[in-house]
Amino acid sequence: MTNQPKLRPAIAALPTYKAGKKVAGVDGLEPFKLSSNENPTPPLPSVVKAIADAANDIHRYPDPFVTELSEKLAKKFEVPVEAIATGTGSVGVCQQIMQAVADIGDEVIYAWRSFEAYPIITKIVGATPVEVPLTKTGHHDLPAMLNAITERTRLILICTPNNPTGSVVNHKELKEFLTKVPKDILVVIDEAYVEFNRDDESVVGLDLYREFSNVGVLRTFSKAYGLAALRVGFFVGPLNVADAVRKTAVPFGVSNIAQAAAIVSLEHEDELLARVQELVKLRSWFESELKKLGFNLPASQANFVWLPLGDRTDEFVTKCAELAVAVRPFSGEGVRISIGEKPALERVLDALSGLN
Ligand SMILES: Cc1ncc(COP(=O)(O)O)c(C=O)c1O
């Protein structure tokens, strides 16, 4: 017997989520954070006003059903409102999905490397992660993912554009894959970065949701809409799953401030998507500069790029830190660099040109 309360074994073995680091100050240099795939543009004045107005009501609980936002989303995507479930960021919704479909010992398949929260939230519910390595080009290996399906598979996560490689899954290939997945296994297409995608042949999650009874889509207001701190994301999926995902939500999890900001963001979507287009242009510029330095990378369709620097990763990250720029290292593998402010990206290029 120990003198500490016992934890579930699955929890004791959990890795801790590594959030993108803040930048340590360097004399005379403005610090930049390119480590969390955040939107560098500040909120729209209309959004700030909605937040300020909503602040007057924070002594009341928020609408637990997130009614107005869900209705707006249902209208936008032409889906029944019952197909929508919201939560505290799409990672919160993803955890709600896990709790809804995966029991202890069940299996959850996803590509690896991919979004770092997947293994954590899989293990929280006591399910077993089945990680299928990406191909050499950083793409999902759909045939291998199909082969990984067993009797215990309950959920397959498809991250497109994939974090951290920025690669997308081809629509036709995923459709072909879905025809072979048993219909009692939920397939969730995580489209956190979809607004940054300019590849016409890549997955259109909502089309696949309409076509397959076991497909759902995960979206967020954190990236293109710039509401990362407010924690609001949503799922569009089969009615029975959406219903279950509402049941597993933390009650009142999406604050009134988050709801109000998301609603106003949808109303000003054109302005926000114009800003996204600027970031996409900046990504193209950054990628062409990287090519000039000799990096031949597959195109990223997200608001970040992946540099497979292997054992030079740590050295490069230190060089960036010396220039007051935080990037996201995956030691021994590579670095993910968010498309943030241009001066920050210029410093990253300086750090790269000085690399051994
Ligand atoms: C692929 C992917 N999905 C989901 C999320 C979660 O975003 P949020 O919880 O802010 O909606 C992230 C965040 O980085 C991500 O990279």
Side-chain angles (χ1 to χ4, degrees):
M1 203 169 72
T2 72
N3 59 356
Q4 285 184 315
K6 273 192 182 165
L7 299 176
R8 285 170 48 215
I11 301 302
L14 276 184
T16 309
Y17 181 78
K18 289 193 203 113
K21 270 199 193 149
K22 275 206 169 154
V23 210
V26 176
D27 273 354
L29 285 179
E30 184 190 349
F32 290 110
K33 185 171 169 226
L34 303 181
S35 50
S36 297
N37 299 340
E38 292 157 343
N39 191 325
T41 40
L44 296 173
S46 52
V47 173
V48 174
K49 181 175 181 309
I51 291 171
D53 290 349
N56 289 315
D57 291 324
I58 57 168
H59 56 302
R60 306 280 180 200
Y61 285 105
D63 170 6
F65 309 112
V66 194
T67 313
E68 190 182 343
L69 177 59
S70 303
E71 282 169 358
K72 277 210 151 51
L73 291 168
K75 201 165 167 215
K76 172 175 158 65
F77 297 121
E78 299 177 348
V79 298
V81 70
E82 297 80 10
I84 308 247
T86 56
T88 54
S90 57
V91 71
V93 186
C94 197
Q95 188 163 338
Q96 290 162 231
I97 295 170
M98 291 275 181
Q99 286 172 323
V101 302
D103 229 325
I104 292 175
D106 285 341
E107 292 169 3
V108 177
I109 299 176
Y110 50 84
W112 198 251
R113 216 168 244 294
S114 193
F115 181 34
E116 279 195 283
Y118 294 160
I120 300 173
I121 56 184
T122 304
K123 289 177 191 165
I124 286 175
V125 299
T128 305
V130 178
E131 299 182 339
V132 177
L134 294 167
T135 65
K136 283 205 175 77
T137 56
H139 289 83
H140 280 56
D141 187 342
L142 294 177
M145 292 179 84
L146 213 48
N147 277 336
I149 293 175
T150 72
E151 292 270 289
R152 295 305 306 254
T153 308
R154 295 274 53 90
L155 176 63
I156 302 174
L157 293 163
I158 304 283
C159 186
T160 178
N162 187 49
N163 177 4
T165 51
S167 55
V168 284
V169 175
N170 177 278
H171 188 83
K172 274 196 200 138
E173 285 170 18
L174 189 63
K175 193 169 159 174
E176 181 65 22
F177 170 87
L178 289 169
T179 58
K180 296 179 186 146
V181 174
K183 293 291 174 287
D184 61 353
I185 298 175
L186 177 68
V187 179
V188 170
I189 305 171
D190 183 345
E191 294 191 323
Y193 301 98
V194 70
E195 296 87 354
F196 299 91
N197 181 9
R198 297 293 177 270
D199 180 336
D200 290 341
E201 292 180 7
S202 67
V203 167
V204 181
L206 283 165
D207 284 358
L208 296 173
Y209 151 76
R210 285 182 234 278
E211 224 171 305
F212 293 88
S213 60
N214 58 332
V215 171
V217 173
L218 202 52
R219 295 277 190 101
T220 181
F221 281 94
S222 297
K223 309 293 178 181
Y225 294 81
L227 302 183
L230 292 184
R231 314 308 303 130
V232 53
F234 61 96
F235 172 71
V236 184
L239 295 183
N240 70 324
V241 180
D243 192 39
V245 172
R246 284 189 290 272
K247 287 180 185 161
T248 53
V250 173
F252 307 108
V254 184
S255 72
N256 68 323
I257 294 181
Q259 295 184 37
I263 289 165
V264 172
S265 298
L266 287 177
E267 287 163 0
H268 291 79
E269 197 165 44
D270 291 351
E271 254 176 288
L272 290 166
L273 295 182
R275 290 166 157 213
V276 166
Q277 183 54 26
E278 289 308 307
L279 289 171
V280 168
K281 276 195 213 155
L282 199 54
R283 178 182 74 201
S284 301
W285 166 79
F286 188 57
E287 284 181 326
S288 67
E289 293 300 308
L290 289 174
K291 279 199 186 118
K292 285 184 204 160
L293 289 176
F295 292 97
N296 210 1
L297 305 165
S300 165
Q301 296 298 341
N303 66 342
F304 51 83
V305 298
W306 169 247
L307 275 185
L309 290 178
D311 52 16
R312 293 183 300 167
T313 298
D314 294 344
E315 182 196 343
F316 169 69
V317 173
T318 307
K319 279 199 168 18
C320 287
E322 285 165 4
L323 296 174
V325 180
V327 292
R328 178 71 174 87
F330 296 85
S331 225
E333 289 180 55
V335 184
R336 191 191 67 201
I337 304 158
S338 307
I339 301 298
E341 297 83 349
K342 191 168 184 189
L345 295 171
E346 284 168 341
R347 274 191 223 162
V348 168
L349 292 171
D350 286 346
L352 270 176
S353 47
L355 204 60
N356 295 318

